[in-house]
Amino acid sequence: MGTDAGITVFNDVTKNEKEKFSRITTKTGLPDNIVQIITKDKSGKVWVTMRDSGFCNYDVSQQKIIRPGLQGGCGFGPIYSMIIDHKGAVWIGAESNDGLIAFIVQDNKYFRFPVAGHNEHANQKVLTLFEDAEKNIWIGTEK
């Protein structure tokens, strides 16, 4: 569960009541405690977006935060959405001049795509993302 106090992890397997809840925060390596989205890819990596600090992944086996090539939030402002596509690329919808970002995990490279609204010169906030069965990425914008 993402909160404004980091991530709370619930472990229903453990019998020890004190170990059922654990926290991941800036004290344990999280770039920002204001977490907005948490999702998991096919390889088991847990991807996390933060309001002002971009995104990262959490290696569950090593209990370690990993910051991919995008550091310091990359200047794309608040992140509103994130999906992992069928190839394992991380797609991020943000508030910026380039509101759609694709991060190619295996290459550690990212690409920015301006998303025009009704006025082709005005870029839009990308509020939601979805990949359909035909592998098309649907982009929901503010206007």
Side-chain angles (χ1 to χ4, degrees):
M1 164 177 40
T3 67
D4 63 356
I7 299 170
T8 301
V9 180
F10 176 71
N11 180 346
D12 194 34
V13 177
T14 185
K15 301 293 182 198
N16 184 337
E17 288 298 318
K18 292 181 180 182
E19 294 178 1
K20 284 208 180 277
F21 290 94
S22 60
R23 299 191 69 93
I24 303 168
T25 67
T26 54
K27 291 179 183 176
T28 57
L30 195 62
D32 186 339
N33 278 335
I34 301 177
V35 173
Q36 296 193 267
I37 302 166
I38 303 170
T39 192
K40 185 177 176 182
D41 67 18
K42 291 177 185 174
S43 72
K45 290 180 184 171
V46 176
W47 293 89
V48 179
T49 69
M50 282 94 22
R51 183 177 70 187
D52 298 319
S53 301
F55 71 99
C56 63
N57 70 60
Y58 181 72
D59 185 320
V60 177
S61 64
Q62 295 183 26
Q63 297 185 348
K64 180 180 177 183
I65 297 289
I66 300 166
R67 296 287 313 259
L70 302 172
Q71 298 298 323
C74 299
F76 48 71
I79 295 173
Y80 297 107
S81 56
M82 175 177 58
I83 63 168
I84 312 296
D85 74 10
H86 67 283
K87 293 181 180 177
V90 178
W91 290 83
I92 295 174
E95 177 181 336
S96 73
N97 291 337
D98 299 320
L100 181 64
I101 296 97
F103 177 66
I104 312 304
V105 177
Q106 62 270 24
D107 297 335
N108 200 37
K109 292 185 181 179
Y110 68 95
F111 301 91
R112 295 174 183 255
F113 302 94
V115 179
H118 296 289
N119 174 352
E120 291 186 18
H121 301 291
N123 290 315
Q124 298 292 314
K125 294 178 188 176
V126 176
L127 300 176
T128 188
L129 295 166
F130 170 73
E131 182 179 26
D132 66 21
E134 286 80 38
K135 300 177 178 57
N136 299 302
I137 304 291
W138 293 55
I139 306 161
T141 61
E142 180 180 45
K143 297 179 184 178

